[in-house]
Amino acid sequence: MSVSSLAELKEYCLRQSGKPLVKVNISTEQLDDCVAEAIQYYQEFHNEGQERIFAVHQITQDDMDNKYITLPSSIFAVMSILNTSAYANSFSWMTPQYELIRDTTMDVARGAGGVSDYVITRQYLADFEAMLAPNPQFTYRQNTGKLQVFTDWDQTFRVGGFIVYEAHAIIDPTVYSRFWNNRLLKQLAAGMVMYQYGRNLTKYSTVQLPSGVTLDAASIVSMGKDMIAEAKEEIQELAEPLGFITR
């Protein structure tokens, strides 16, 4: 069955544990905790739980005073900060970089030098920028939300200016409803609910229903564990290690 919301995912998990044929002995709070834990794991490790973005932050006076900027809670990891000043200087009017690019472009247009000269010139400019105007060093921690840039803020930034950064952002399921129907997310959440259900039953060791059917708590716990382990293993296989993202 297709799942398109949080409420439907919870009902799916309960059905996987036996509802409505058996009463699933789990509280609303426990159900919420299990599903939330599954969602968090999926968002942190599955390649479909995040997306690569380029975001722009406008610098405020508080940023200048703090020497860091606070990013949205959806930002999981920051990969790089674009050196916007270096890019701007590369194409500014009447700069040495502009003159070099103009001359090589004119040579290509006249048939002299060819495209290879233009490519080589662009590579030289990139090397110069890397040496003279390198991208600033930084650190980011999701728990604090602070993006600290190790540079002279008074020389590099100004109030009203911008910082452009490349990041991995957690996908918002309230925006993308297809998030809820992912096979591994459903399996992981259902496994966690089943595991919790089994643990709740262990206090009775074995429970016999009025119909004579016996609920084996140990087996339910084991089934839940297996579902969780299988889902996590497959999610880890699909995960892209940070720093080696396919572009």
Side-chain angles (χ1 to χ4, degrees), residues 3 12 14 48 67 72 121 148-149 160 174 180 193 198 205 211 232 238 245:
V3 174
Y12 172 86
L14 293 174
E48 291 287 346
K67 309 302 183 188
T121 301
Q148 295 179 298
V149 184
T174 63
W180 302 111
V193 171
S205 183
S211 62
K232 285 187 174 181
L238 294 172
I245 307 300

Side-chain angles (χ1 to χ4, degrees), residues 51-96:
E51 60 181 345
R52 177 190 175 201
I53 65 169
F54 288 90
V56 179
H57 175 87
Q58 188 167 21
I59 300 171
T60 65
Q61 186 59 55
D62 287 342
D63 297 333
M64 296 296 295
D65 296 338
N66 295 331
K67 309 302 183 188
Y68 64 81
I69 64 174
T70 302
L71 302 186
S73 58
S74 61
I75 300 300
F76 180 71
V78 177
M79 311 303 296
S80 64
I81 296 178
L82 275 64
N83 191 339
T84 53
S85 62
Y87 285 106
N89 290 336
S90 296
F91 299 97
S92 296
W93 181 259
M94 297 303 290
T95 60

Side-chain angles (χ1 to χ4, degrees), residues 136-173:
Q137 299 297 306
F138 66 92
T139 183
Y140 171 71
R141 294 292 179 268
Q142 187 184 23
N143 289 336
T144 64
K146 295 179 180 178
L147 175 62
Q148 295 179 298
V149 184
F150 303 117
T151 186
D152 186 339
W153 278 68
D154 294 329
Q155 294 294 326
T156 307
F157 304 117
R158 61 179 176 81
V159 175
F162 297 93
I163 292 180
V164 182
Y165 58 93
E166 176 190 4
H168 275 209
I170 292 173
I171 290 178
D172 185 356

Side-chain angles (χ1 to χ4, degrees), residues 95-114 117-118 121 125:
T95 60
Q97 295 95 327
Y98 172 83
E99 293 297 325
L100 281 171
I101 294 174
R102 189 198 65 176
D103 289 345
T104 53
T105 303
M106 293 295 292
D107 288 342
V108 171
R110 290 194 299 265
D117 282 359
Y118 176 80
T121 301
L125 290 175

